[in-house]
């Protein structure tokens, strides 16, 4: 890794390399006309799984976080989940049940995001992953704007428009 890339990665809390991979997935989704929603699970320095919005995804499978966590399974324990947009309560709950240690996201979702809406109690409170938000926010925000220009009435447009307004 070049010196400037290393210093940029340090500035992003060591998450830069993985956020670059996440941004690439989001761009792939956008190129296919899908919302720039993507997720990856890593453990130590290794990416375990990747997922992004796809035309074939439907129902709960539209959540890249669930796709990535489902593929990783128990291997996600003590790992990290990277997502373009703060995960919903369901996806954050799945991460907690798999004992993911941290969730790193670019854009916060104050209305539907799990870190803004979930209160953990009981044993689940001890499993709740740490949330680290705002990493590469500008890049993901730009991808969201591009999606909204291309798909002003797409399936995720209303939610993503609300994120930009908050």
């Amino acid at each position: 890794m070049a010196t400037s890339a290393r210093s940029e990665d340090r500035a992003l809390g060591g998450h830069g390399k993985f956020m670059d991979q996440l941004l690439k997935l989001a761009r792939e989704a956008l190129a296919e006309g899908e919302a720039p929603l993507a997720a990856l699970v890593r453990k130590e320095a290794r990416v375990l799984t990747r997922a992004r919005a796809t035309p074939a995804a439907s129902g709960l499978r539209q959540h890249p976080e669930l796709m990535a966590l489902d593929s990783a399974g128990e291997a996600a324990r003590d790992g990290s989940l990277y997502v373009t947009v703060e995960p919903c309560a369901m996806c954050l709950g799945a991460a907690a049940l798999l004992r993911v240690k941290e969730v790193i996201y670019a854009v916060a979702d104050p209305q539907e995001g799990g870190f803004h809406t979930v209160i953990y109690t009981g044993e689940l409170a001890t499993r709740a992953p740490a949330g680290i938000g705002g990493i590469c926010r500008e890049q993901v925000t730009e991808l969201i704007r591009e999606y909204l220009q291309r798909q002003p009435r797409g399936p995720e447009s209303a939610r993503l428009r609300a994120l930009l307004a908050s």
Side-chain angles (χ1 to χ4, degrees), residues 94-117:
L97 289 171
L98 286 171
R99 297 181 185 225
V100 168
K101 74 175 179 181
E102 61 186 359
V103 176
I104 298 91
Y105 59 93
V107 177
D109 185 348
Q111 293 182 359
E112 297 181 24
F115 287 107
H116 287 87
T117 60

Side-chain angles (χ1 to χ4, degrees), residues 11-107:
L12 296 174
H15 301 294
K17 175 172 98 171
F18 302 104
M19 289 303 287
D20 285 345
Q21 293 180 49
L22 186 71
L23 289 167
K24 181 181 178 199
L25 288 170
R27 286 185 192 102
E28 289 173 7
L30 187 62
E32 288 187 15
E34 297 297 319
L37 303 175
L40 68 81
V41 176
R42 80 151 171 105
K43 192 163 187 179
E44 297 168 3
R46 195 171 130 243
V47 173
L48 301 177
T49 60
R50 297 171 179 82
R52 63 176 175 79
T54 64
S58 63
L60 296 179
R61 298 292 292 178
Q62 290 175 330
H63 295 244
E65 303 93 319
L66 285 184
M67 290 187 275
L69 289 168
D70 186 44
S71 293
E74 290 298 318
R77 185 183 188 122
D78 296 323
S80 302
L81 173 65
Y82 289 78
V83 292
T84 49
V85 175
E86 179 183 353
C88 70
M90 175 182 63
C91 293
L92 189 58
L97 289 171
L98 286 171
R99 297 181 185 225
V100 168
K101 74 175 179 181
E102 61 186 359
V103 176
I104 298 91
Y105 59 93
V107 177

